[in-house]
Each structure stands twice: as structure tokens, then as C-alpha cells.
Amino acid sequence: MRDLAVFDLFCGTGGFSYGMEHSGLGFNTRFGIDMLSVATETFKLNHCGAVAMCGDIRKARRAAVEEATKLGKGAVDVLVGGPPCQGFSSIRPFRSTNDDDPRNTLFEEYASFVNYFRPRVFVLENVVGLATHKNGDTVAAMEECFHALGYTTEWRLLNAAHFGVPQKRERFVMFGVEQGIKIQFPKPTHFYEGSTVGYRDRSRIISARVGDLFDACPTLQPAVTVMDAIGDLPCVESGDEAVEYTMPPKNTYQTERRRGATALSMHASTAHSKKMLEIIRHSGKNINCIPKHLITSGFSSSYSRLDADEPSVTLTVNFVHPASNRCIHPIQQRALTAREGARLQSYDDTFQFAGNRTQVVKQIGNAVPVLVSKAMGEHIVERLQTSRFGDHG
């Protein structure tokens, strides 16, 4: 089978397409576009054969993309991307058969790329709140738009922990294929019994919890925990950095994330103040563990320590600062390093990030977990090889 051409819109680091490529099933990323220059640089570092554009997608002419990639209508196999949330604020009746309409919202830009290039499959990923936005009217409008373009759509809510990611990150995912072809979503590979997103229609949730869409069974692997993911990384004190591995990987996850790397990067700790170190020493599951005289405000999850034997909570874009969220190391007296954050997002240690430390941390926090996109890629390629999607199951 020929290489499967992938377009990655709102690509950020390119983690979505990177995961598909590293499934080893023939995906070949040919194009990526993002508004942030540093994210586009990261995309370039890890997708050397792809055309990368930095700028407002509303100003990217489809014909120019076609010329740059040498891929026209019907030549793109998979189109992926997560339009930013503001793109859903005012979805109107679809009007972008004029594919370069500057009035388009960000969602309409995604849809117009689908309309212009006619991919065999598209995957739209976003926050779980999209499912209930405007009481479900937003999702309904999105599906109506794609139906008008000749695509059948289905969507689900998933937890990354069910696909081998050491993080309880919940996301909305929509698949689209040509009308008349049924859609099937990937099944969980890992079991996690913790709380999950609340949504009235449980059939919309891809889950490995008892009583949900897929009952727990012995064939599922246990969820990957925080220490499963980062336990091989050297201990570092506040303000210190480690640049080499000091022990071999302890499990398959760690071995796979190292991907043969011989040098360790991005494993530098934030230099915490004396007061912050005192707060960290008291930290536990939530902010209530901190003596009141040490803090004046914060969310319930601020200044909190991660559980060693569970998947991480969802990373934020400031996970190296304890005030932002639950991001203190399970054992050590500091917040996570950028390398540990990348591990929790299932990025390989060989993945290259552009920018300074603050920019890298933000890119990691915003990223699509690589193993989630890998699972989608493995599922999609099975269907593309048979030129159809199977029944729900």
C-alpha cells in the first residue's frame, strides 16, 4: 500500500501526526499549519519531509497549499486537527464553498480544507466541553456542515489513560468519512477505574470502566502510572538539571519513550523559592494540605502532589509551577520538569522541541498525547486498507 498522506491543521508541535507516523503503518505527514512560530519550528524539526506554514489559517489559500504539497483533491488520505475553541463560538450555516473566504471562523477553515482536499478520513479533536456547548447545538451544527459536504460523522469522548498514556486527559474526537460508510472507534487497550467525564449518553464515551461502553476484561493492560512513566529519570533538586540517564529503563513504557536516546534533555527543575519549597514539603492531593499561613489563594488543585501509582491529572501549560495545578513530583520536592511532562504526554525523549523552556512547557501542555493519535492511526489504517469502516462495536 502506498504511503498515506496526512495534513495536520492547527498542528502545534505536530504530535497528532507524529503519533500516526510512528505507528509504523505508512502514514506520511505532508503539511502542517499553526499560528505560533515556535510551534511551527517544532513541527519542522520532527516532520522533515512536510511543508510547514506559520500564520493565520484564514489567510492560507488552499490553492497555494496544493501547489506547495503537490497534493490536490482526493490525494490527501487523512486530515487531522483541533480548531481552537473560539472557532465554535458562532458556527453559521456552512458558506465556505468559497474556500478562501476571509470571514470564515476557525472551524469553517477546518471544514473548508476538508471540502477542498476531500480526504478519505478526517479526525477533529477538541476539549470535552464541546460536547455540551450550547446544549449540544454546536456539535449538531458541525455535523450538519460535514454532512452537507458529503461526509458521515460520529463523535466520542475518550480518556487518554485508556490508550496507554500516563495521564487522565479527556478529549472530544470526531471521525468523518464518505457518506454511507459506517464508523468504528478504536477500543481501549488499558484499564483505569477512576472517575471519568460525566455525559448523559454513556454510549458516546469510549471507556474501559465497568458498565460503560466496554466492560473491563483481563485482556486490557493496567493504566500506565506517573512513576511507570518517569521513574527511570534521575533525581534532581530544585534548580538543578540532569543531562544523562543514570539507570536503565524499568519497563516497556520507559524503553519505548527513550527510543534509543543516549543523552537526556529538558530535565531541569524550576528553581523554587524558600517559601515555595516549604509549601511543597506540605503538599498532598489538594490545596487543603497546605497550612493556611503559607498561601492566600489558589484553586483546589494548586500546590498539589501527583499520585505515584495513578495516571497524572491533565497537564496545564504551566506544569513546572506548583501554583498552576497539581504538578508536584510524587516523591521529590519540586514541580515536574519539562522532560517529565513530555513523558506524561507520551512524547519520545528523541522528539525535538524548539524555543525556550517556557515555550516548550506551553507546547507540551497544549499537545495531543502521542499514543492517543497512534491508536487512532492504527485503527484508521485498518479501515483504509479495506476501503471501508466496520460496524460499531
Side-chain angles (χ1 to χ4, degrees):
M1 185 177 181
R2 67 176 175 83
D3 283 352
L4 301 171
V6 180
F7 273 22
D8 195 344
L9 309 185
F10 312 98
C11 63
T13 65
F16 208 147
S17 48
Y18 178 87
M20 288 187 168
E21 282 194 353
H22 283 71
S23 67
L25 296 172
F27 291 101
N28 182 13
T29 306
R30 302 291 299 276
F31 175 74
I33 183 169
D34 197 86
M35 189 74 169
L36 296 177
S37 60
V38 68
T40 309
E41 289 302 314
T42 295
F43 177 88
K44 289 179 183 178
L45 288 172
N46 299 281
H47 298 84
C48 297
V51 173
M53 288 188 179
C54 177
D56 189 336
I57 193 172
R58 289 168 293 194
K59 298 178 181 179
R61 295 183 60 249
R62 310 300 175 262
V65 174
E66 178 179 356
E67 181 178 356
T69 61
K70 310 303 180 187
L71 295 171
K73 190 180 295 291
V76 177
D77 295 284
V78 184
L79 187 147
V80 302
C85 300
Q86 62 265 36
F88 304 111
S89 60
S90 58
I91 292 179
R92 299 154 291 189
F94 189 68
R95 65 186 183 194
S96 58
T97 48
N98 175 359
D99 293 297
D100 294 315
D101 188 339
R103 299 171 298 169
N104 288 350
T105 66
L106 297 176
F107 165 72
E108 285 174 319
E109 292 299 328
Y110 182 100
S112 71
F113 263 85
V114 171
N115 186 43
Y116 188 96
F117 290 99
R118 308 302 300 181
R120 300 170 69 186
V121 179
F122 71 79
V123 187
L124 189 151
E125 180 266 357
N126 221 278
V127 296
V128 293
L130 180 55
T132 54
H133 188 254
K134 293 187 177 179
N135 200 32
D137 289 346
T138 298
V139 172
M142 291 166 58
E143 293 194 287
E144 182 180 351
C145 164
F146 290 124
H147 296 167
L149 298 182
Y151 284 84
T152 297
T153 59
E154 273 286 356
W155 61 268
R156 295 289 185 271
L157 305 177
L158 64 79
N159 189 319
H162 293 141
F163 296 91
V165 178
Q167 185 183 176
K168 296 172 280 190
R169 193 181 191 95
E170 296 172 320
R171 303 299 286 181
F172 169 100
V173 176
M174 178 183 288
F175 277 156
V177 296
E178 293 182 356
Q179 280 189 352
I181 302 175
K182 293 183 179 180
I183 300 173
Q184 183 186 49
F185 286 81
K187 294 183 179 181
T189 55
H190 291 67
F191 174 72
Y192 172 68
E193 186 55 54
S195 61
T196 188
V197 64
Y199 188 74
R200 61 184 182 277
D201 183 357
R202 302 302 292 181
S203 70
R204 291 286 191 182
I205 300 174
I206 299 176
S207 176
R209 298 178 69 236
V210 175
D212 285 339
L213 191 57
F214 302 104
D215 288 343
C217 65
T219 60
L220 296 179
Q221 302 175 57
V224 180
T225 69
V226 171
M227 291 307 290
D228 286 340
I230 68 174
D232 64 317
L233 297 174
C235 293
V236 291
E237 300 291 334
S238 169
D240 288 345
E241 179 179 9
V243 295
E244 59 183 21
Y245 301 102
T246 56
M247 67 181 74
K250 301 176 180 179
N251 55 46
T252 300
Y253 186 88
Q254 295 169 8
T255 300
E256 291 178 346
R257 297 293 73 75
R258 287 198 190 186
R259 197 175 279 273
T262 56
L264 178 61
S265 63
M266 306 194 319
H267 195 44
S269 170
T270 300
H272 300 300
S273 67
K274 183 178 179 179
K275 180 179 179 181
M276 182 59 74
L277 286 172
E278 177 66 14
I279 291 172
I280 289 173
R281 281 190 285 273
H282 289 281
S283 63
K285 282 185 174 293
N286 55 56
I287 198 172
N288 294 328
C289 298
I290 310 300
K292 301 302 182 186
H293 70 277
L294 290 177
I295 55 174
T296 57
S297 63
F299 298 108
S300 63
S301 58
S302 298
Y303 309 107
S304 302
R305 192 178 294 273
L306 293 169
D307 291 315
D309 57 356
E310 287 191 13
S312 166
V313 297
T314 299
L315 291 185
T316 69
V317 295
N318 292 305
F319 64 80
V320 295
H321 300 295
S324 68
N325 201 358
R326 193 176 178 189
C327 62
I328 298 174
H329 192 283
I331 300 170
Q332 300 172 41
Q333 305 306 316
R334 58 171 176 79
L336 296 172
T337 67
R339 171 55 56 208
E340 289 165 338
R343 282 281 188 94
L344 296 179
Q345 283 278 53
S346 62
Y347 276 85
D348 298 331
D349 293 0
T350 54
F351 190 93
Q352 301 178 69
F353 289 91
N356 60 38
R357 184 169 178 264
T358 299
Q359 292 170 321
V360 168
V361 167
K362 184 173 182 179
Q363 290 175 72
I364 292 170
N366 280 329
V368 176
V370 171
L371 288 183
V372 170
S373 60
K374 181 175 180 286
M376 293 183 194
E378 290 171 344
H379 173 74
I380 288 169
V381 78
E382 292 175 4
R383 306 302 172 256
L384 290 180
Q385 286 172 340
T386 59
S387 297
R388 70 181 188 86
F389 274 55
D391 294 335
H392 291 291

